[in-house]
Amino acid sequence: MLNMSGSPHRIGEDELETRPVVVEAAGLSKSFGANVVLRDISLKVYKGETVCLLGPSGSGKSTLLRCMNWLEEPDGGAVLLSGHRIGIRPGGTVRMSDSDLAAVRTRIGMVFQHFALWPHLTVLQNVMEAPVHVLKRDKAEVRREAEALLERVGLADKMASFPARLSGGQKQRVGIARSLAMKPEVILFDEPTSSLDPELVGEVLAVIQDLAREGLTMVVVTHEMSFARDVANRVVFMDGGYVVETGTPEEFFAAPKSERARQFLARYARG
Amino acid sequence: MNEFAVVWQHRDLIINGFGNTLIIVALSATGALVLGALLTIPLMSRNGAVRRIATAYVDVMRCVPFLLFVYLLYFGFPSLGLRFDNWTAGIIALTLYNTAYMGEVLRATWAGLPKELIEAGHAFGFSGLRLFRRIILPPVLYASLPLIGNQLIQVVKDSAFLTIIAVAELTHEATSLQTTYFVPFASFVAAVLLYWVTCVCIESTIGYANRYAEERR
């Protein structure tokens, strides 16, 4: 079961930069028609850190996250996974084939805002599906790992249930277990608590906090300010498609550098 | 002699026709379901040309009367050097015709699936046929069950048209019974009852499958 006590290990900025970069966005830009959503975004995510992307709705946080596993195709710039460019074939400008892109995506976990569990599969099957049918791993071994993961997120008694029978919080914990089962290099969380009733938010955040404590590399788009303050190693504040400010949670929440971040935090403080 | 007694006396003819109808329906319905499911791939393709060709097939089939399509296949195609016996022509016609409807039913359900469900498939490394077979098709089939049931009943009813190319199915045998013994009312009532029983069985099976599918949607 989850360890809910203690604060996450804080990685200092100097220590962080000695670590390998897992995901890098280099000069990313993206538009939907005339609407420019990302403008020349650059960001490095180091091994073992938790980066929280904050900002008002429409600031480009989710689009940036979705560009990191190429669910959204950036118009310009590059995404690198462990130093290798994804989405584009090596040394060229030609898009990767669907199967090559699919192979890259197995190394990047994703947790969706609306859970996106596969409704025709049980909880256990949801967790086992991609390791067995995409990674082609041994079914018995995957089953043992999936059972252990579901036990870890507190869903040992729901393995045979279908997603339709679960609460939102339970669905999201399955979503997290499903990502962990792939043993990804990084997990992307797209507003993992935004669709939950307030009383269910805590159980999901506790799981993510536990993963941060273990040193998983994570990028989390969230509106939960207290979660970002307690769990993130770094906070990235976005607005209007720009990264306005980056810093440790202590710096960002105590003394935001930009006027826009001050306004944003003041609005949250007012509730 | 009572009309129904005559039909009962020659029941082997009706039973033979009924058996043939069941075989024709089983083969055509299975074929239409499998081909219809495969047809959704080009119908939902990102490639505009592929999508337009598949859509044109569906549109043509939906606009051609089934009777004419059977005539074309059995009497028309030999002019092009393609000759089928009546059974083969009948089963091909029923299958291809209903493939278009089945494909359109499944395509509409696919288009209505939550976008994130398929995105999750992409995000976890599924692509191509594997994505279709493991992530897209099962929820599409579960969600489409009532409409698939309707289409299967349509296959049963369409199979009666094959009498015009002398396939010995139920309507054909009932017609031959009534023309031989002049018992039209009893012959056709017997046939209607057997079609009704078949459709009730399909409805019950779909109803049962629907209950199974409920928590999987």
Side-chain angles (χ1 to χ4, degrees), chain B residues 141-149 202-217:
Chain B
L141 289 177
Y142 285 138
S144 307
L145 271 174
L147 296 172
I148 291 173
I202 290 173
E203 278 173 3
S204 307
T205 308
I206 291 291
Y208 180 78
N210 220 17
R211 282 194 291 281
Y212 173 84
E214 199 134 302
E215 63 178 351
R216 290 166 172 78
R217 286 183 188 135

Side-chain angles (χ1 to χ4, degrees), chain A residues 66 98 114 120 129 165, chain B residues 46 116 119 122 134 215:
Chain A
R66 291 162 58 80
D98 285 352
H114 300 291
H120 57 291
E129 181 70 8
R165 304 261 182 213
Chain B
R46 280 178 296 185
E116 272 197 338
E119 273 193 343
H122 286 296
R134 300 217 54 95
E215 63 178 351

Side-chain angles (χ1 to χ4, degrees), chain A residues 40-242:
Chain A
D40 193 25
I41 300 272
S42 292
L43 175 70
K44 287 179 180 174
V45 180
Y46 295 92
K47 189 174 171 61
E49 75 163 335
T50 300
V51 174
C52 280
L53 300 182
L54 306 179
S57 296
S59 57
K61 311 179 297 288
S62 286
T63 305
L64 172 59
L65 195 84
R66 291 162 58 80
C67 283
M68 287 181 177
N69 66 353
W70 216 255
L71 278 184
E72 293 294 350
E73 203 167 312
D75 299 331
V79 177
L80 290 89
L81 179 65
S82 298
H84 298 284
R85 188 168 182 188
I86 69 167
I88 301 291
R89 288 184 185 164
T93 53
V94 181
R95 194 183 184 277
M96 268 182 170
S97 69
D98 285 352
S99 57
D100 285 346
L101 192 53
V104 169
R105 283 177 176 144
T106 61
R107 296 161 54 199
I108 307 170
M110 178 110 186
V111 174
F112 291 82
Q113 181 179 354
H114 300 291
F115 327 120
L117 298 182
W118 297 309
H120 57 291
L121 301 176
T122 64
V123 164
L124 183 64
Q125 288 167 338
N126 259 279
V127 178
M128 292 175 62
E129 181 70 8
V132 170
H133 295 286
V134 177
L135 300 180
K136 302 287 180 195
R137 291 185 50 212
D138 176 66
K139 199 172 177 179
E141 188 187 313
V142 170
R143 188 189 176 96
R144 277 195 299 278
E145 288 178 9
E147 286 170 350
L149 282 170
L150 287 168
E151 199 165 326
R152 182 178 163 189
V153 297
L155 291 171
D157 57 333
K158 297 287 181 190
M159 290 189 200
S161 301
F162 285 91
R165 304 261 182 213
L166 304 181
S167 70
Q170 290 169 333
K171 283 180 190 171
Q172 199 55 296
R173 283 185 281 153
V174 176
I176 294 171
R178 179 173 68 167
S179 274
L180 291 171
M182 296 294 278
K183 301 180 181 168
E185 293 167 39
V186 57
I187 301 186
L188 311 174
F189 291 81
D190 188 6
E191 302 197 29
T193 58
S194 295
S195 324
L196 299 179
D197 292 336
E199 69 267 25
L200 300 177
V201 169
E203 63 186 70
V204 172
L205 293 183
V207 173
I208 302 173
Q209 190 161 5
D210 201 49
L211 299 176
R213 199 173 288 123
E214 273 187 17
L216 244 82
T217 311
M218 300 190 287
V219 184
V220 186
V221 172
T222 184
H223 290 286
E224 299 288 335
M225 294 303 136
S226 58
F227 170 78
R229 191 194 330 249
D230 294 343
V231 177
N233 298 107
R234 249 183 332 139
V235 165
V236 174
F237 176 69
M238 292 181 67
D239 189 31
Y242 291 106

